Amino acid sequence: MFKKLDILDEKDKRLRLKSKKVEFPLTQEDKKLIQHIIDELTYSQIPEYAEKYDLRPGMGLAFPQLGLLKRIIVIVHEVEEGLFDNYVFINPEIISSSEEMIAAESGEGCLSVNREVEGHVKRHARVTVTGYDEKGNQIQCRAREDLALAFQHEIDHLEGILFYDRIDPKKPFYTEQEMRLI
Ligand code: CO
């Protein structure tokens, strides 16, 4: 039987702390947890399983959301219906980002934020991320559009930043003329 992860709520102060670099080799527990996160994020995006296990759809999770202040992020990206690409990045770093900025038209969500937060989160349209895989091999990914947003959102978690910190309270929404909305 699948057991749901215990994800911290936004009120938990641990979400506001900076996570620490991870040393290799990874512990067995961390490896197991990474697989658990992949499973849960995948199930959450398949309506049948999401209902069965009572999961809110999410495409990314960072270790600090589990109360573990380690620089590990996991993204499960649905590339076409029922087909998912997994990204596990340990000690990720954004090494370059586009000048072009975009925002998700309907705003962002977070598995630690159990309420609707309205507003556009301005982010780079494309980012290149480096990091390490579970075995400690260096990896790199050029991400664009929704995948780029996900990387920026998850890496923010490692710095104790939540998506709504980036919503401008004076101007929470952009028009299509001001920003490309995806
Ligand atoms: Co989040």
Side-chain angles (χ1 to χ4, degrees):
M1 179 65 189
F2 175 75
K3 191 177 171 295
K4 262 170 79 163
L5 293 164
D6 258 320
I7 300 175
L8 299 186
D9 181 79
E10 59 177 316
K11 290 180 206 78
D12 197 300
K13 297 220 163 42
R14 285 173 285 179
L15 285 174
R16 293 312 197 162
L17 301 175
K18 194 173 150 94
S19 292
K20 295 193 176 68
K21 276 212 167 160
V22 175
E23 309 255 340
F24 290 95
L26 293 188
T27 64
Q28 273 315 110
E29 283 134 53
D30 285 345
K31 284 186 193 165
K32 269 193 201 158
L33 203 46
I34 287 168
Q35 190 53 52
H36 194 163
I37 295 170
I38 293 171
D39 292 343
E40 181 153 327
L41 292 175
T42 307
Y43 287 149
S44 83
Q45 295 178 73
I46 301 171
E48 184 192 338
Y49 287 102
E51 193 181 343
K52 184 175 173 189
Y53 299 128
D54 186 30
L55 301 171
R56 200 150 62 80
M59 70 182 284
L61 197 80
F63 261 49
Q65 292 179 272
L66 304 172
L68 300 164
L69 297 176
K70 299 179 181 186
R71 301 184 79 82
I72 303 177
I73 62 168
V74 179
I75 295 168
V76 176
H77 184 221
E78 189 170 31
V79 281
E80 55 182 89
E81 200 179 321
L83 187 67
F84 300 92
D85 278 344
N86 303 333
Y87 299 87
V88 175
F89 270 68
I90 297 156
N91 302 333
E93 273 183 59
I94 295 173
I95 56 162
S96 77
S97 40
S98 64
E99 264 182 49
E100 189 197 1
M101 306 298 282
I102 57 172
E105 185 166 20
S106 55
E108 291 187 16
C110 178
L111 293 174
S112 292
V113 180
N114 294 297
R115 61 189 171 102
E116 286 291 322
V117 181
E118 292 202 332
H120 292 142
V121 183
K122 184 174 156 184
R123 298 196 188 273
H124 298 283
R126 295 167 296 283
V127 290
T128 302
V129 185
T130 60
Y132 296 86
D133 68 11
E134 293 148 273
K135 295 187 181 123
N137 303 309
Q138 200 167 9
I139 49 173
Q140 184 167 318
C141 175
R142 177 80 171 154
R144 54 192 73 239
E145 304 295 305
D146 57 337
L147 183 60
L149 299 186
F151 268 106
Q152 291 166 83
H153 177 120
E154 299 313 327
I155 291 171
D156 269 353
H157 275 300
L158 307 180
E159 300 298 321
I161 298 168
L162 295 176
F163 74 89
Y164 51 73
D165 301 348
R166 297 194 182 278
I167 299 173
D168 184 347
K170 291 195 208 88
K171 185 174 172 51
F173 297 98
Y174 296 98
T175 64
E176 291 275 5
Q177 283 71 41
E178 294 165 329
M179 178 83 62
R180 188 157 67 80
L181 302 172
I182 68 164

